[in-house]
Amino acid sequence: MSSTQETQTIRQGLSTRESRLLSHLAAEGHQIISIDDVEATLEVAPNTAREIASRLIEKGWLDRLLPGRYLIIPLAAGEEAVYTTHEYLIASHVAEPMYIGYYSALSHHGLTEQVPRTVYVITPTRAQSREIHGVPYRVATVTERKFFGYEPTSIEGTVVNVADLEKTLVDCADHPEYCGGIRELATAMVAADDQDCSWATVGEYLQRLDNGAATKRIVYLADQLSIDLPTRETLVESFTSGYSLLDPTQSEQGSYDSEYGLRINVDPGTLGPTES
């Protein structure tokens, strides 16, 4: 999933202190470091740590990803320092706390055949969406109430939080615009059912999320796709009044379905699995 960063930097030699710093951090498994890491490793003041980081950038041994966050460029990158790392490792520094969600989580769990270019980062804090090494990182800020349902996942030896299978579906029902629309969610639900998704957990997550539109979408799709929701009756009882768009990424034109409280603005016949 990694891409290649192009740079014209020709790397320069390291001082003894710089070499000790990078060797120590690399030995501990660090790929991305902070100014605090430089301070702690070399036991220097913050200003000195920043100066050291700046010199290492000039020499081609560090690449500034974010304010105060740097990617170590390994020896294997060669003299021209052409290197990047897994997008999820970078994403883990875009916001704290965070987890990988939406389209990115669909891809991670094998619930879509699409390969999303954007990495979706979910966080309860304020953080800025940005592009790093040509990859867009889309930050979605949610309330603390919605910040749950993720699991620690090892990515190249580093732990990154990723939405679990069930929360991925619930988050995508909450914001279909971040997963390619309702058709992608329908495809994902079929794939999740094949992976022994816990639909009881999906129901628990929907109740915890407390979003009427998301609940309606999941129940509607489950019925269309012949997926058994153990808590269907409870979920239906929690339907909010009024009508929500089945797919907020599409035109608002469509018929009203009073059973689900949805405006069906996509062709239901396109929501099932396609024949191969």
Side-chain angles (χ1 to χ4, degrees):
M1 192 169 176
S2 296
S3 59
T4 301
Q5 177 201 13
E6 295 184 359
T7 175
Q8 296 180 346
T9 301
I10 302 298
R11 290 209 267 191
Q12 302 172 31
L14 295 168
S15 69
T16 300
R17 182 165 66 170
E18 292 166 346
S19 179
R20 179 162 58 90
L21 169 69
L22 296 182
S23 296
H24 177 82
L25 293 173
E28 290 189 342
H30 292 284
Q31 293 190 50
I32 299 173
I33 65 171
S34 67
I35 290 296
D36 289 344
D37 293 323
V38 179
E39 288 181 47
T41 301
L42 297 179
E43 298 181 345
V44 295
N47 287 342
T48 302
R50 282 190 285 269
E51 290 172 1
I52 292 170
S54 295
R55 285 199 299 272
L56 288 171
I57 291 172
E58 293 172 0
K59 291 183 175 184
W61 293 94
L62 289 183
D63 180 29
R64 182 179 180 275
L65 300 176
L66 299 155
R69 292 289 189 277
Y70 307 89
L71 175 67
I72 297 177
I73 311 298
L75 284 170
E79 286 187 352
E80 294 188 357
V82 179
Y83 181 77
T84 189
T85 190
H86 198 290
E87 286 90 338
Y88 289 5
L89 298 185
I90 295 175
S92 67
H93 293 270
V94 169
E96 295 181 22
M98 57 72 68
Y99 67 87
I100 301 292
Y102 303 122
Y103 224 150
S104 301
L106 287 182
S107 179
H108 173 79
H109 290 294
L111 302 180
T112 177
E113 295 182 354
Q114 305 301 316
V115 181
R117 178 169 174 264
T118 298
V119 177
Y120 288 89
V121 177
I122 299 178
T123 179
T125 62
R126 291 185 178 274
Q128 181 181 349
S129 297
R130 60 186 71 233
E131 184 172 305
I132 302 171
H133 291 180
V135 176
Y137 292 83
R138 175 69 166 83
V139 174
T141 300
V142 299
T143 62
E144 290 283 355
R145 175 172 53 83
K146 293 184 178 183
F147 192 73
F148 68 93
Y150 51 87
E151 55 193 4
T153 304
S154 179
I155 304 293
E156 297 185 358
T158 300
V159 173
V160 178
N161 290 327
V162 181
D164 64 30
L165 182 71
E166 292 76 16
K167 186 61 181 329
T168 296
L169 298 176
V170 169
D171 282 343
C172 289
D174 188 26
H175 285 288
E177 66 273 21
Y178 295 155
C179 77
I182 208 70
R183 291 185 180 89
E184 275 294 318
L185 177 55
T187 299
M189 288 177 63
V190 172
D193 199 43
D194 290 339
Q195 292 186 31
D196 295 324
C197 171
S198 171
W199 294 106
T201 299
V202 169
E204 292 171 8
Y205 282 179
L206 284 169
Q207 290 178 285
R208 186 171 173 184
L209 194 77
D210 194 25
N211 179 295
T215 301
K216 294 174 183 178
R217 290 172 186 137
I218 290 286
V219 172
Y220 176 83
L221 289 177
D223 288 351
Q224 291 290 316
L225 301 169
S226 300
I227 292 172
D228 179 34
L229 289 177
T231 57
R232 185 185 185 282
E233 291 186 9
T234 301
L235 293 174
V236 170
E237 289 174 359
S238 71
F239 280 0
T240 52
S241 60
Y243 288 85
S244 306
L245 286 176
L246 175 59
D247 191 339
T249 72
Q250 301 298 315
S251 164
E252 294 188 7
Q253 296 182 352
S255 61
Y256 291 95
D257 191 320
S258 59
E259 179 181 357
Y260 299 97
L262 287 171
R263 188 164 192 178
I264 311 302
N265 60 337
V266 299
D267 179 2
T270 66
L271 297 176
T274 57
E275 297 293 334
S276 57

